[in-house]
């Protein structure tokens, strides 16, 4: 269930009319971030998927279930964080009757930067966790190698930034042992990020 402060409610209403790029044309709706209005930790993904596009909520599909499991294993209630995406509309291509994810390009990410920046300003998290390369680039404004950046503490203004894999990376692991291994690594990265948000 969405729990938004008044400023985020206004932002969500404005986002529904966004025409900054053409992604809105094929999407069902914009998908704003949601969660604790003044969360100390914000999680940023790439873009909504098929199920998120239909529901209008972030991380409710298969990748969302991976994220929920990783948060639970890390001892972090999802209700305590703010979850959003760098791009707010679902970019896809049709394969028969299926809508398949298509990576947003630099222009689309830049067009959506206004919304992400606005969410960051309104929530004012102490820690931003970038889930994957697209999110890391959108948060930090430059290309960021995910694997080389895991475990490092980066900065964005007053906020600390932690970079980790996107939950969909876990789903792409074909072997069960690798899927379990990367699920555990995602959870550990989230646990470490949550410690960065704790008072000194």
């Amino acid at each position: 269930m969405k729990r938004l402060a008044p400023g985020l409610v206004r932002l969500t209403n404005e986002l529904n009319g966004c025409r900054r790029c053409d992604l809105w044309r094929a999407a069902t709706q914009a998908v704003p971030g949601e969660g604790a209005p003044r969360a100390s930790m914000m999680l940023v993904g790439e873009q909504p998927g098929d199920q998120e596009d239909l529901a209008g909520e972030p991380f409710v599909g298969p990748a969302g279930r991976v994220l929920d499991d990783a948060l639970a294993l890390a001892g972090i209630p999802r209700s305590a964080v703010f979850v959003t995406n760098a791009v707010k509309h679902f970019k896809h291509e049709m394969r028969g009757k299926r809508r398949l994810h298509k990576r947003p390009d630099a222009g689309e990410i830049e067009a959506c930067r206004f919304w992400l920046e606005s969410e960051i300003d309104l929530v004012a998290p102490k820690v931003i966790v970038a889930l994957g390369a697209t999110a890391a680039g959108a948060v930090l404004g430059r290309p960021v190698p995910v694997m080389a950046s895991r475990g490092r503490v980066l900065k964005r203004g007053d906020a600390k930034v932690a970079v980790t894999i996107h939950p969909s990376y876990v789903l792409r692991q074909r072997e069960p042992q690798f899927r379990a291994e990367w699920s555990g690594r995602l959870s550990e990265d989230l646990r470490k990020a949550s410690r960065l948000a704790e008072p000194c």
Side-chain angles (χ1 to χ4, degrees):
M1 181 177 294
K2 294 182 180 181
R3 300 181 296 106
L4 298 176
L8 286 165
V9 171
R10 286 193 298 273
L11 188 70
T12 296
N13 291 336
E14 293 170 5
L15 177 58
N16 287 328
C18 181
R19 301 295 184 267
R20 290 172 178 263
C21 74
D22 287 336
L23 290 184
W24 67 274
R25 296 181 183 278
T28 303
Q29 59 194 316
V31 180
E34 68 174 46
R38 298 292 289 183
S40 61
M41 189 162 78
M42 174 184 280
L43 310 183
V44 181
E46 180 187 87
Q47 65 163 335
D50 181 73
Q51 293 185 33
E52 290 80 7
D53 171 75
L54 296 173
E57 299 179 36
F59 284 98
V60 295
R65 289 189 285 275
V66 171
L67 180 61
D68 287 345
D69 289 346
L71 285 168
L73 188 60
I76 304 167
R78 177 156 168 170
S79 60
V81 302
F82 190 90
V83 182
T84 192
N85 283 296
V87 173
K88 309 304 185 186
H89 285 102
F90 178 36
K91 182 176 183 178
H92 59 277
E93 60 184 2
M94 298 303 299
R95 188 77 57 82
K97 294 183 178 180
R98 296 179 62 202
R99 302 191 303 171
L100 299 182
H101 166 278
K102 193 173 181 181
R103 186 183 295 267
D105 63 33
E108 291 155 348
I109 296 167
E110 182 59 34
C112 235
R113 185 181 301 279
F114 169 81
W115 302 111
L116 178 61
E117 296 283 348
S118 298
E119 287 176 331
I120 292 172
D121 289 345
L122 286 166
V123 177
K126 293 180 180 178
V127 176
I128 301 171
V129 180
L131 303 168
T134 297
V139 169
L140 293 167
R142 56 181 171 82
V144 180
V146 172
M147 296 305 179
S149 300
R150 288 183 60 242
R152 296 173 54 200
V153 180
L154 307 176
K155 290 286 288 182
R156 181 195 184 279
D158 293 332
K160 297 172 184 175
V161 177
V163 177
T164 187
I165 59 170
H166 193 281
S168 63
Y169 183 81
V170 176
L171 293 174
R172 291 196 296 271
Q173 303 304 310
R174 295 183 179 275
E175 298 296 330
Q177 66 267 30
F178 293 139
R179 184 172 289 199
E181 178 183 346
W182 279 105
S183 179
R185 290 181 182 181
L186 173 60
S187 181
E188 182 58 28
D189 288 349
L190 292 172
R191 184 182 293 111
K192 289 178 180 177
S194 71
R195 293 189 188 124
L196 296 175
E198 295 173 357
C200 296

